[in-house]
């Protein structure tokens, strides 16, 4: 049987911009965003924040994540598992932050990721108070409150990200979609924030992706 076409065509990343797919639930995504933030601030590289749902990608009703039938954006806010409720809430808050400046959106996103993964106790992503705390000092809070209330608009924007990630075959976070079209998941064991080390790591990563050897998997034995 012929499968239906993906929800959205897999297009190359925007010219000169690397799309960075992440999930607020994932500590590896947090490290990947910290690395990208250093690269954008210190070295002028361009990254675009995109959302990918691990809950949706790994859901039992989506055996082929390229053709999902269960969508996170169709779920009722605050319901489902802790991960489902928390990730949906964080994604919608992230979409609201993206309506402000690029730097503000990055600051909010990193603040929320740090609250979840770097703080002594993991922040509760299902709690709107967690979203408001991350917004303080990073966003125009009045505008954030107004934008965060636009649930239909935020869900539509999130759906665009989830459709794009499904078309591309994203399966984990962080996944980088480079301007030339290369796309891959890269799992970071360490947090790298020193500018020189960050650039060295990114140079190595992109060289591996573009190398003619076409290395697809590197996994250390334990």
């Amino acid at each position: 049987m012929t499968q239906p076409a993906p929800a959205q065509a897999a297009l190359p990343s925007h010219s000169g911009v690397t799309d960075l797919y992440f999930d607020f639930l994932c500590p590896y995504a947090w490290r990947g965003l910290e690395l990208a933030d250093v690269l954008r601030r210190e070295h002028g590289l361009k990254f675009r924040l995109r959302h990918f749902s691990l809950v949706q990608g790994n859901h039992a009703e989506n055996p082929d994540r390229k053709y999902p039938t269960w969508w996170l954006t169709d779920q009722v806010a605050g319901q489902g598992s802790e991960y489902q409720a928390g990730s949906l809430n964080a994604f919608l808050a992230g979409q609201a932050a993206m309506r402000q400046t690029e730097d503000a959106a990055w600051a909010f996103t990193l603040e929320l990721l740090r609250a979840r993964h770097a703080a002594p106790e993991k922040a509760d992503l299902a709690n709107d108070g967690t979203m408001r705390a991350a917004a303080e000092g990073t966003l125009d809070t009045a505008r954030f409150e107004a934008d965060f209330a636009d649930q239909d608009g935020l869900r539509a924007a999130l759906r665009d990200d989830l459709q794009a990630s499904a078309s591309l075959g994203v399966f984990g976070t962080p996944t980088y979609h480079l301007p030339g079209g290369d796309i891959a998941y890269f799992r970071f064991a360490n947090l790298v924030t020193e500018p020189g080390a960050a650039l060295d790591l990114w140079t190595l990563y992109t060289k591996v992706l573009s190398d003619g050897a076409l290395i697809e998997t590197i996994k250390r034995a334990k």
Side-chain angles (χ1 to χ4, degrees):
M1 179 181 295
T2 302
Q3 288 184 311
Q8 180 172 308
L11 299 174
S13 181
H14 286 208
S15 178
V17 179
T18 294
D19 280 344
L20 172 45
Y21 288 90
F22 73 97
D23 191 321
F24 286 99
L25 297 173
C26 180
Y28 302 108
W30 162 52
R31 294 169 192 158
L33 263 77
E34 293 279 12
L35 174 72
D37 188 52
V38 173
L39 294 170
R40 62 183 288 273
R41 288 186 294 101
E42 300 292 336
H43 300 291
L45 278 68
K46 295 180 180 180
F47 294 85
R48 184 167 67 134
L49 297 172
R50 303 296 300 271
H51 292 143
F52 167 74
S53 171
L54 292 166
V55 170
Q56 177 176 305
N58 294 319
H59 198 276
E61 294 182 33
N62 292 335
D64 185 344
R65 60 176 57 86
K66 276 197 168 186
Y67 304 92
T69 58
W70 187 97
W71 290 87
L72 184 65
T73 48
D74 293 341
Q75 310 312 307
V76 177
Q79 294 189 11
S81 69
E82 170 195 355
Y83 298 114
Q84 176 181 313
S87 62
L88 177 58
N89 201 39
F91 282 143
L92 296 178
Q95 291 290 343
M98 288 177 192
R99 294 184 178 183
Q100 299 193 32
T101 67
E102 181 181 12
D103 286 342
W106 273 86
F108 171 84
T109 298
L110 288 169
E111 185 68 23
L112 195 54
L113 283 165
R114 291 164 185 163
R116 177 69 178 182
H117 301 292
E121 294 186 9
K122 290 185 176 181
D124 179 6
L125 297 180
N127 187 335
D128 284 354
T130 300
M131 306 302 118
R132 295 187 177 97
E136 292 177 2
T138 62
L139 300 173
D140 176 330
T141 53
R143 179 177 175 183
F144 173 75
E145 290 284 357
D147 288 336
F148 194 34
D150 178 21
Q151 293 288 296
D152 289 343
L154 299 177
R155 284 173 183 261
L158 175 59
R159 184 76 166 229
D160 287 344
D161 277 357
L162 299 185
Q163 287 179 329
S165 64
S167 296
L168 292 165
V170 175
F171 64 88
T173 60
T175 290
Y176 299 90
H177 187 195
L178 276 65
D182 289 310
I183 180 168
Y185 160 71
F186 194 36
R187 178 169 170 168
F188 296 90
N190 298 316
L191 177 63
V192 179
T193 57
E194 193 280 318
L199 184 59
D200 287 345
L201 179 57
W202 183 250
T203 300
L204 176 62
Y205 169 57
T206 53
K207 181 176 176 55
V208 169
L209 283 184
S210 62
D211 190 270
L214 299 179
I215 299 171
E216 291 188 350
T217 303
I218 299 174
K219 190 170 183 179
R220 296 180 186 273
K222 295 184 178 179

